[in-house]
Amino acid sequence: MFQSISGNSVLEKSDLQPALKALKDRLMTKNVAEEIAEKLCESVAASLEGKKLGSFTRISSTVQAAMEEALLRILTPKRSIDILRDVHAAKEQGKPYVIVFVGVNGVGKSTNLAKVAYWLLQHEISVMLAACDTFRSGAVEQLRTHARRLQIPIFEKGYEKDPAIVAKEAIQEASRNKSDVVLVDTAGRMQDNEPLMRALSKLINLNNPDLVLFVGEALVGNDAVDQLSKFNQKLADLSAVPTARLIDGILLTKFDTIDDKVGAALSMVYISGAPVMFVGCGQSYTDLKKLNVKSIVKTLLK
Amino acid sequence: MVLAELGGSISRALQKMSNATIIDEKVLGECLNEITRALMQSDVKFEMIRDMMANIKRIVNLEDLAAGHNKRRIIQQFGLFIASPCSTALHLKSLILINLAIEHKANERVTNRIRASTTSTSSSNDLLPQLPSIPYTNPVEPVTAHVIDLDLVGAHRIVHDDLVAYLVATAPLLRYGSVIASSSRSSGRIFEVAVFNELCKMMDPGKPSFSPKKGKSCVVMFVGLQGSGKTTTCTKYAYYHQKKGFKPALVCADTFRAGAFDQLKQNATKAKIPFYGSYMESDPVKIAAEGVERFKKENNDLIIVDTSGRHMQEAALFEEMRQVSEATKPDLVIFVMDGSIGQMAFAQSQAFKQSVPVGAVIVTKMDGHAKGGGALSAVAATKSPVIFIGTGEHMDEFEVFDVKPFVSRLLGMGDWSGFMDK
Ligand SMILES: Nc1nc2c(ncn2[C@@H]2O[C@H](COP(=O)(O)OP(=O)(O)OP(=O)(O)O)[C@@H](O)[C@H]2O)c(=O)[nH]1
Ligand SMILES: Nc1nc2c(ncn2[C@@H]2O[C@H](COP(=O)(O)OP(=O)(O)OP(=O)(O)O)[C@@H](O)[C@H]2O)c(=O)[nH]1
Ligand SMILES: [Mg+2]
Ligand SMILES: [Mg+2]
């Protein structure tokens, strides 16, 4: 595709440009946000500039290899969170382990919360659901249906209650009935809706959960960057306590709807630094997987 | 505002270009790059942007055209005409004549003759017998954009497309009495209009969608990906029409999603709209048919069918949708799309269109930060217009959407809806 340069020429920015442009385009067709694709290409350029190109090596393959390395580094989690281990640790301290599911509207928070409940049940962990979406029509009934199907308890106070208080009462109830885990469902909200973000910050501050899980859908385009950065930023800015809790991990949903356009995973991880802890890939309880970093990288570069 | 940021970026790019003293390949290239970037950031499909850029380049790069030489010269002549001291109306007539000449593949000699006679200040009316007279009171008064009223274009179809673009572009110049001094300037304007036209083309499928008539029973079916906002939008759509005097009714044909019927029921109750659904029945086709039949009997003129979310990778779900459509015979199928969707927008909406006769698009969640470029993909893939946008979770957070004034506002060109009508 690009001219091969033989001999030991030193790579200059202008040599790299065409290959990088092609790579950026490829990432964007795979649904990586423009800003992220651009930043990645810049850092790959910086890492290669001034380096010597081996004999008979194509610039395009050098660039591709550098990009592959960068992608692997970004997508491989820096902090590892082992939920099962942490749940057992909390249990030993006699406390329920609390996970709060947050995210914008309709991404799959409630459905994937139910899938996580199912996964925990498979590991013989007792689960209670907390219906803290007290706003959207049918949200409480939706969670109730899941609780019934999974035969697990649900804590609910109907609609129009303060979700922060409902969550608090749910956790107290879980301590009483010795549930190992409380899964807190929250209403969907747009990342720049100040009052709703404030309410979410209150819920998190008041209850200090063990895990704040951001639920994002793999279908999302450039907005992925804004969603994650604003959720983090608002949670930091609106927090009433000095050490604000931010997003700990990501649950990436609707992975079954995107074919090879897997770029949202990269955008989300790049911008937040949080690991993808689960991948939702369907509408039934068993459709929950772990992210396969290698296959994502391969797909992105294909 | 929807897509406003995209509009801002594009018009900034265009502004920068037209501020340049010399508009050459490089300036145009930079401008195109900026526009490409703005479109990418708004989630417009990559391939569509590539095609759009190719089209713009084709229009602007006159030399590449078959009629290249002629046209280039003619464009330069335009510059001359506008700069020459005769009345604006006369310019227009001469422009139109030249177009006629192009249309009829007149040779250069003819064009030159026309030019010779029209540039002179003497009356050239004898040359224009077949043209409608252009109303103007004072021959030296600048012709306003409205006088140009592409009447001449629409009704008589005598003006070549690219030149229509040129005419429209120069209208404000005429209005403000400015002149175009060089052909480099005019290629800038042509470029600008090419961008405008390409955006319109992307947003505007060219045919209006079905619209319900009061008192005449019709069925509207909502389809879309999971969580796109169908159920919420169904109620908004019903509520909007109810306020206009319709008698809407809602049918819940989503038997899959947990709590789906409760959601629709609670929404409908809030809006005081009759609804139909079942907790027991699991066949959406059956419920849909029953609901529609019932509300037809009750003389509801707008029967809205909500369906489950689905995606193209699950053939069975698409088959189910096809069956619901067959059972309810909808007058209109509305594809509901989340405004933040990325590069999958095109493939998914195209797949819906291939299974059911999608006739309109509604883009939701435009109250967020998303720039909504996926809407462009959905329009292209379904060949259907965007008719409403959702701007919040509440029932009344719903806006009618009209593409043309929108695109022109987007580019800061004022409301030219009248002009772009074909
Ligand atoms: N195909 C597919 N659909 C999913 C997946 N996860 C969730 N869904 C569907 O997405 C839709 C929305 O899911 P919900 O769980 O209600 O989403 P939510 O984020 O709780 O929505 P709100 O509470 O209204 O903001 C439902 O139809 C789910 O079945 C997934 O991994 N794949
Ligand atoms: N902010 C905002 N939220 C919206 C808008 N339209 C819908 N929503 C929210 O998006 C979420 C999903 O909406 P639903 O109407 O349940 O979507 P659906 O397409 O019916 O979902 P499924 O039936 O599960 O496929 C809900 O939380 C809605 O309140 C909108 O225009 N703005
Ligand atoms: Mg929910
Ligand atoms: Mg629904």
Side-chain angles (χ1 to χ4, degrees), chain B residues 270-287:
Chain B
K270 242 180 255 167
K272 299 192 176 59
I273 293 165
F275 58 90
Y276 183 87
S278 162
Y279 288 112
M280 310 307 292
E281 179 57 60
S282 64
D283 181 3
V285 182
K286 190 154 175 262
I287 295 194

Side-chain angles (χ1 to χ4, degrees), chain A residues 106 108-111 133 136 139 142-143 185-188, chain B residues 257:
Chain A
K109 294 174 292 300
S110 312
T111 307
D133 179 350
R136 205 209 72 214
Q142 181 181 11
L143 221 62
D185 188 28
T186 66
Chain B
R257 151 120 177 235

Side-chain angles (χ1 to χ4, degrees), chain A residues 34 137-138 219 222 254 257, chain B residues 37 43 226 266-267 342 348:
Chain A
E34 196 274 343
S137 308
L219 284 162
N222 284 268
K254 307 188 191 174
T257 70
Chain B
R37 185 142 190 232
D43 298 309
Q226 289 91 348
Q266 288 168 20
N267 281 342
Q348 290 286 2

Side-chain angles (χ1 to χ4, degrees), chain B residues 192-345:
Chain B
E192 219 167 275
V193 171
V195 171
F196 178 88
N197 281 347
E198 288 299 315
L199 279 175
C200 274
K201 229 158 69 186
M202 268 194 194
M203 295 282 300
D204 182 8
K207 62 169 195 303
S209 77
F210 167 88
S211 66
K213 305 268 175 307
K214 245 175 279 178
K216 193 170 174 293
S217 158
C218 78
V219 177
V220 178
M221 174 175 162
F222 279 64
V223 300
L225 289 163
Q226 289 91 348
S228 58
K230 295 173 293 300
T231 308
T232 310
T233 309
C234 271
T235 324
K236 288 179 175 181
Y237 185 81
Y239 180 71
Y240 171 89
H241 284 93
Q242 189 182 45
K243 281 196 303 187
K244 292 214 165 314
F246 282 84
K247 279 177 65 193
L250 288 159
V251 179
C252 174
D254 180 356
T255 53
F256 178 80
R257 151 120 177 235
F261 184 36
D262 287 295
Q263 184 185 5
L264 182 129
K265 195 163 139 182
Q266 288 168 20
N267 281 342
T269 309
K270 242 180 255 167
K272 299 192 176 59
I273 293 165
F275 58 90
Y276 183 87
S278 162
Y279 288 112
M280 310 307 292
E281 179 57 60
S282 64
D283 181 3
V285 182
K286 190 154 175 262
I287 295 194
E290 284 170 6
V292 167
E293 194 188 348
R294 151 118 168 247
F295 289 124
K296 274 192 173 154
K297 268 196 203 116
E298 293 179 6
N299 287 324
N300 290 93
D301 50 8
L302 181 58
I303 305 169
I304 298 162
V305 182
D306 183 23
T307 63
S308 311
R310 63 197 81 234
H311 56 287
M312 65 186 219
Q313 289 82 356
E314 287 268 11
L317 295 181
F318 268 55
E319 173 56 23
E320 175 196 280
M321 167 172 73
R322 215 187 45 71
Q323 287 176 16
V324 173
S325 166
E326 216 154 73
T328 54
K329 307 230 165 6
D331 299 276
L332 175 65
V333 177
I334 298 180
F335 178 67
V336 178
M337 198 188 72
D338 185 323
S340 72
I341 190 169
Q343 295 290 317
M344 266 319 269

